[in-house]
Structure formats: structure tokens, C-alpha cells
Amino acid sequence: MPRLLERVRRIKSASLPELQVRCAQAARARLERIGLSPDSRLPSDKGFARLCDGAGDGFGLLERFRQRARAAGDFLPALIDPELTAREFERRYPHAALSTIRAAERIAIGQIDLGDHLVSIGPRPDWTLEPLSGKRAPAVHWSRIAFLDPRVAGDCKLTWELNRHQYFVTLGRAYLLTHDDRFASLIAEHVSSWIDENPPQVGINWTSSLELAFRAISWIWALYLVRDSRQLDGSLFLHVLKSLYLHARHIECNLSTYFSPNTHITGEALGLLYIGSAFPEFTRAAHWRALGRQILAEQLDRQLLADGVYFEQSTYYHRYTTDFYLHALLLTPSTEPALHASIRPRLDRMLDFLLYITRPDGTSPLIGDDDGGRLVMLGERAANDFRDTLAIGAAIQRRGDCAHVAGHSVQELLWLLGPKGLQAYDELTATPPSSASRGFAESGYFVLRESWDQSADWALVRCGPHASQTAAHGHADALAMELSVAGSPVLIDSGTYVYTASREEREYFRGTAAHNTMTVDDVDSAEPGHSVFKWKSAPRSRATAWVTNSTFDFFDGEHDGYLRLAAPALHSRAAFFVKGEYWVICDRVRSDGEHRLAVYWHWAPGITVCEAGRNGLTANFHDRDTPPVSARVFAGRGQLSCEPGWVSPAYGTRAPATVSVFRVDADGTEEIVTLLTKCDANVRVDKCAWRPGTGRDAGVLTIATASGSDTILTGPTMHAEHDEIISDGAWTWVRRSHRGEVIAFALIRGRTLRIGERHVFHADKVGDWIEEPCVASVE
């Protein structure tokens, strides 16, 4: 009944164009089910001849394909002469070449690497089996399969991953490196088996148009890589072309325009562009190319926010989308300048985001959903390593800053752009980005960075629009943050783990308690909906301050996700980073009622967390030179504890990790302050003290260091008492020498600051002010 009510609600809220599209797709599916659609079966040779310009037989088509692939420069650069690409790959990256061959050897004995885990498929793949649950979706028309129901299909993502055939590209590259026909033969066997055992429109492997697009792209890459092998004969080539034609027809007629208007629709458009570009002899090839480019151009404004960040609030899907548009650009000839002019400036903004979210160690945070998928398997990068995409973007867009961050992560670049593309990359002058820290205001990502050194401190705070009901890959992570210290990840997002296999685990990993932020009364900041990709309610977040300079970064923001409680509560968070020294995170809940508050800190795997006094912890790294990290939590009351938790480094995998939780029962407004410091000789915090706010006065944190002392006020303070500081700012920082002299100060969202009787600062208007020393400026 709930599902029926949801369908009725959706129909009532649908626009006329949506109803027209859905009705047309439903009518087409019905014709397929009763066998009246020509796309319900592979075309005969005679019928296929009408679908190809001057088709001839399979041998003629294959020979034409080989000649065009060698002579034309209108496809992907590396595939014009893949032998040359393979030789350069082997020369420059001999260890990677051996790794590719070993991976192909494992595939040959039935071991396929799907992301971060191996799946055994035996000598003959079972294309409809979900390997973990052992479930097999029914062999009925695709429209009759509830593929998101784990009782029907298990975790369909795992079934689809094998059926994307992306391991064909590994086999194809190994064939070029070794000239061993076993690898080409395995591609031929598997693609023939798949076509025979997955009849058109029947079974789970026809349920998602995106999956058809990925599979088609894999087949195209494989055909180009092994095009000169004896294992690819005219009969097989014709068989594959017929299925590719039906793949394109299915995608064209079942676009995710309203079902999943996210990476599904852009990936499907790219699939059409690939098929139409690789096989111009199809009578519909020009239409597919035009339709693919049209959709990709239209989706730029729909799926990218003004700052260039992907709208679903997922860093992994942002990288996915960047890959889509890089490939689309390569498949769009210069004779179509309009699309280039549309894609290139937005691509620069997409690359900017990838630049700044890259941690000092080269990895990136997996914020929001991460399904572990790739567009094309051209290397063995980890799921959280986006540097190959940055390198490709650097070569295509001529970006020295992208090259600086990407470094030597260029294996995918070589297989995509060929030796000339690699030479263009090598000729770039790698230079660090112009600024260390950056705020992406529209999407709500704020990056706090010490420098572009590999041993720098770094953090990212999430304070942007929650993914809407249609942008379902976001998590309940309002005001969550990630932190790296001395180049190593310390506090991290817990990841995704699964989509449909377990509703309980799905809700845990996308819930607020799985992120480095706060829960109120043990509820999430966003309410889950009836589906694992839906939200019943979502918080509104806004940044109230963002200041960055060479000495410190400061962020302040809030969200209204807990205003829905019986006693409404407003959560705000300030993050203050004195570069190279320490971090102060202040969580404040404003409410007139009683609440259970909990602040969660998820430590990266490989870190041992030990108690260090009341409400203090020390985090030690295993097998690294990274100095320990000290964490101290200050509040009027409450208790800090360590608990077992989970982190999912890639889809379908999880690892144990420690979670620190500070819990307090609050009556009215409450403030919780966390101080994080490195424990090394260069950064010494000798002692610190906290005085909770009272009445009109904010809390005061004093930190004694080797060079002097710092005082932090977490809000306006009207009474000086022993600190001798009066401020009307939302945040105040004062640094003194050992002799008590004021060295520097910062006044955030204020205009008046008095430090004793001698140091008085006053501005004509409220602003963000910094003085170091004798210099004041508005940020």
C-alpha cells in the first residue's frame, strides 16, 4: 500500500512532459513484452543491413572498422594506434605493465577484481547471479523486475558491476602488452556468452539504461584494443554490432530523464555518443551523437552548481561526472565549437573542486555516496584517488595547477590520450594553486589548508544544500568535517558500504552518527524516506562566516535540521585553524528545551586512540612517521568515550575503526569545544583551560604554547574579568608573547575589541578584521 500511494503521489505531481515520457516508455515496454517490438530480438543479417549504411557481411564490416580505426583521428587519441600506446606504457611504467598482465592472468582463471574485492566467476560466468547473497533475479521482461528490492535481486549493484564488462579493457591492454591471444579469446568467449544468455529486454541486465551504456563503452574499448587479433572474426563482430545497436536503441528509448536525472542520464548520453562515434555506419549514428551531446550540454546547468560542484553532494559522483565530460570533450570534434565553449569553462570549475578536496597525501574524502564504479578501467587506482582525472584534465585544459596535484598519476592519461597527450602533460609547468584554502559557497564545501606540501594540515567542512529527493546520493552530514594532520587523514567520513543489500546498514552509513558532526536526541539531521535513495526531510545549511589568510582559516555555519524536534534546536559549528599549530571546533546548540547531544569523531583505520585524562584522547598512527594527535573536549559537563565503529573505504567493504563520542544532557543552550593539536617538538601546547559562557559572555579558551599564549572567545564578551578582553565579535582570537604583549588578533563579525587598557580596536562597521601586527584589513 505505501508503494501504491507513492506512485499515486508521484503521478499527481508530475508535469505534462514527464507524463508523456513515462507513458511512451511504458507503452514501448508493453510492446516488447508481447513481442511486437523489433528491438525485442537480435535483427537478422538482412534486417541489420537496413540498419547499417552499406553493411555488407560481418567480414566486410570488420575490415572497414579496422581501416577506419587506423586512419581516422576522430576517436579517442590513444586508440588510433593502441600498439604505440602499449609500448610507451611498458617503457615508462614497467611495473604497472606487469601488474596489468597479472590482473589479466587472474581474470583468465576466473578471478575478477570488482573495485576492492575479487569475485570468482569460474570458467563460465553466471551473468544474473548476485555473488554475495546468491540471489538471481527472474528471467522476465526488464520492466517487471523490482531490481532495488534485495529480496528479489540481492544487491543489484554487485550483479551489474560484473555485467559492465570493464575487465574487458584490462584483458585488451594485456593483449597489446603480450600479443597473447588468450586474452582476446576470453573477451570473445565472454561477450558471445553474454549476448546468448541475456536475450534483448529480458533479465536484470536490461533494467538500467546506465548499465547498458557502461557495457557498450566497455565493448567499444575492447573492440578497438583487440581489433587485430585473430580471435575477432567477422561473425563475432557482426554479432556484437547487432547487440550494440539494440543497446543504443534501448538507451535512446529509456533515458533516465525523470527516473534518475543525475549521473544516469549523463552516462546514458555518453554511451550514445560513444556508440554513434565508434560506428558511424549505423543509420542512427548521427542521431545518437547529436542526442548525446544535446543531453550532456543541457545537464551542465542542471547538475552543476554555480561553483562547478556536482549537485548531489557526493565527491565520488563529482569525479564520475568530471570523467564523463572529459570523455565527451574528446569525442566532440573541433568542428562543433559550441559544445566545446559550453563544456570547457565548466570543466575548469569541476577540476577546481577536485584540486581542493585532494588531501595532502593525494587521496580524496568520500563524502556522500560512493558506488565504486568507474567509467573505463584504465588503471589500478584506489576508489578515493582522483588524481588520474586531474592529470587528464591538466593535459586537456592545459592546467599546471592540476598537474602539480596529480603528479605522476598519469597511467589513465596515457591510455586515453596516447603518447602525444602524455608529452603535452610533461611539458606543463606544474605550479601550486594560487590559494591554499577555498570556500565553494554555492555547494557549501569549505577547504582549510595549511599549504600544498604533502605534510600539510588540511580539513573540509560540509555546509551546503542537502541533496534533494531526486539527488539521492547525499548523506545526513550537515556541518560534518574531515581532517588530515601532517599529511595523514585523521578524522574521516564513514563512507557508503551498501545501497540495497541491508536497509539497516544503509541507514547507518548515511546517517548523521556516521559522520563527524552532532546528533540531537539521537536523530539524524535529515529524515530518511521510504526508499534507500529518498529523504523525507532535509536541513537547510548556511555559512555565516568564512575567513582565510596566511595565519589562520575560520569557518562558521549552521543548519536547521533539528528545528523539527518538539523542542526546536539550532546547531551551529565554528572551525578555527591556526595554520601549522592547532584546530578549535566549537559546536553550539541553541534551544529552550532539554536535549541529548552527541558529537562524533570517526578516526581513520590504522589509528589507535587512547584516553589521556578527563575528556582527553591521544591518537597514534600505526607504521607512520606522523606525530600523534591530541584531542581535548571542553564543556560545562558531559563525558567523552571511545566506541567501536566502521569505515567503508570502498563500496561493499568495511573496516573496523574507533569512534570518539562526547555526550551531554543539555538544558537550553550548550557549547562543546574540541581542541586538536599535533604532539611534536614544533607544536607545543603546554596547557589549556576553558571557561564556559555565562549570561551575556561567551566561553573563553586559553592555550599556552612554547612561544606565548592564545585566547579565544567563542562569541561576544561584555565583561573582561581576568582575560582583560572585551569584544562584540562572533569569534575573537588574541595572541600574546610571554611578556603579555599583543602580537596579533582576529575579530570575526565585529567592530570593537578592547585588550586591557592599551590595545583598543574599533571599526566603523561590522566585519572580519585581522591585525598582524599594526595591519588591519577587511576580508
Side-chain angles (χ1 to χ4, degrees), residues 83-98 101 176-179 414-415:
E83 283 279 357
L84 182 63
T85 298
R87 298 286 76 80
E88 179 64 16
F89 181 67
E90 189 175 36
R91 182 190 70 81
R92 184 149 174 173
Y93 307 107
H95 294 295
L98 286 174
I101 296 168
L176 289 170
L177 292 167
T178 63
H179 297 111
L414 177 55
W415 283 106

Side-chain angles (χ1 to χ4, degrees), residues 80-415:
I80 297 170
D81 190 348
E83 283 279 357
L84 182 63
T85 298
R87 298 286 76 80
E88 179 64 16
F89 181 67
E90 189 175 36
R91 182 190 70 81
R92 184 149 174 173
Y93 307 107
H95 294 295
L98 286 174
S99 178
T100 300
I101 296 168
R102 291 192 190 104
E105 293 284 3
R106 289 194 297 271
I107 295 169
I109 61 172
Q111 297 288 325
I112 295 181
D113 187 356
L114 300 180
D116 274 21
H117 55 280
L118 286 173
V119 172
S120 178
I121 62 170
R124 187 175 180 86
D126 187 336
W127 301 115
T128 61
L129 177 68
E130 193 270 82
L132 291 186
S133 69
K135 291 187 178 296
R136 184 180 286 103
V140 297
H141 189 268
W142 64 268
S143 64
R144 296 299 196 205
I145 300 174
F147 56 88
L148 291 179
D149 188 339
R151 297 169 299 180
V152 173
D155 188 343
C156 60
K157 176 73 177 64
L158 300 178
T159 307
W160 287 340
E161 197 69 39
L162 175 66
N163 286 271
R164 290 180 175 186
H165 291 168
Q166 292 177 325
Y167 64 91
F168 283 11
V169 179
T170 301
L171 291 169
R173 292 188 297 134
Y175 163 77
L176 289 170
L177 292 167
T178 63
H179 297 111
D180 188 337
D181 262 345
R182 287 184 304 133
F183 301 131
S185 175
L186 197 58
I187 294 173
E189 291 174 15
H190 282 199
V191 74
S192 296
S193 163
W194 192 94
I195 295 172
D196 293 342
E197 297 175 19
N198 292 269
Q201 319 305 338
V202 175
I204 192 169
N205 293 317
W206 291 87
T207 54
S208 168
S209 293
L210 178 63
E211 298 306 312
L212 273 73
F214 279 138
R215 184 161 53 248
I217 291 170
S218 296
W219 288 6
I220 290 168
W221 269 84
L223 290 172
Y224 270 85
L225 292 172
V226 303
R227 63 185 181 233
D228 293 323
S229 170
R230 293 170 298 174
Q231 301 300 321
L232 181 61
D233 59 23
S235 176
L236 173 63
F237 188 71
L238 180 61
H239 205 42
V240 173
L241 280 192
K242 289 178 180 180
S243 188
L244 275 173
Y245 180 87
L246 292 186
H247 274 60
R249 283 288 296 152
H250 184 97
I251 296 167
E252 172 190 6
C253 297
N254 296 282
L255 290 163
S256 300
T257 310
Y258 297 103
F259 171 68
S260 295
N262 46 28
T263 50
H264 279 247
I265 187 71
T266 49
E268 292 157 10
L270 185 63
L272 291 175
L273 180 55
Y274 252 98
I275 298 171
S277 299
F279 302 107
E281 57 267 35
F282 285 141
T283 55
R284 297 188 66 79
H287 170 70
W288 291 333
R289 292 195 302 270
L291 179 59
R293 288 169 181 149
Q294 175 191 335
I295 293 170
L296 286 163
E298 291 172 348
Q299 293 300 318
L300 278 169
D301 289 330
R302 295 175 184 172
Q303 296 198 22
L304 297 180
L305 301 175
D307 54 14
V309 180
Y310 179 65
F311 77 129
E312 286 195 297
Q313 305 302 340
S314 159
T315 54
Y316 195 88
Y317 280 87
H318 178 94
R319 195 272 306 165
Y320 230 168
T321 300
T322 307
D323 284 344
F324 288 175
Y325 281 96
L326 286 168
H327 282 240
L329 200 62
L330 292 172
L331 292 171
T332 300
S334 57
T335 52
E336 298 194 34
L339 189 58
H340 278 255
S342 179
I343 291 179
R344 284 189 180 274
R346 290 173 172 84
L347 195 52
D348 273 331
R349 291 196 286 272
M350 295 163 75
L351 292 168
D352 284 345
F353 182 64
L354 289 180
L355 269 180
Y356 280 90
I357 67 170
T358 302
R359 301 183 184 114
D361 70 346
T363 63
S364 294
L366 297 177
I367 294 173
D369 276 347
D370 146 40
D371 74 348
R374 307 274 183 88
L375 174 53
V376 183
M377 292 287 195
L378 298 176
E380 283 86 35
R381 68 181 177 197
N384 65 350
D385 189 346
F386 302 166
R387 286 176 294 179
D388 276 293
T389 297
L390 280 172
I392 295 167
I396 292 176
Q397 298 289 89
R398 310 298 296 169
R399 295 274 302 263
D401 53 352
C402 290
H404 176 83
V405 175
H408 299 295
S409 300
V410 294
Q411 294 182 31
E412 293 191 23
L413 181 154
L414 177 55
W415 283 106

Side-chain angles (χ1 to χ4, degrees), residues 700-774:
V700 180
L701 178 66
T702 55
I703 303 171
T705 67
S707 57
S709 65
D710 292 358
T711 303
I712 295 171
L713 278 60
T714 60
T717 295
M718 298 295 117
H719 302 89
E721 297 189 12
H722 68 277
D723 295 296
E724 299 182 354
I725 299 175
I726 295 177
S727 169
D728 65 350
W731 188 273
T732 304
W733 171 72
V734 176
R735 169 156 286 183
R736 294 184 176 95
S737 68
H738 280 305
R739 292 182 296 181
E741 298 169 334
V742 175
I743 300 173
F745 74 80
L747 178 66
I748 309 298
R749 297 205 320 272
R751 64 177 185 174
T752 300
L753 173 63
R754 179 185 294 274
I755 308 171
E757 296 298 325
R758 293 184 298 170
H759 202 109
V760 178
F761 175 84
H762 181 78
D764 293 334
K765 60 180 181 180
V766 173
D768 302 327
W769 306 91
I770 304 99
E771 185 171 300
E772 295 180 306
C774 305

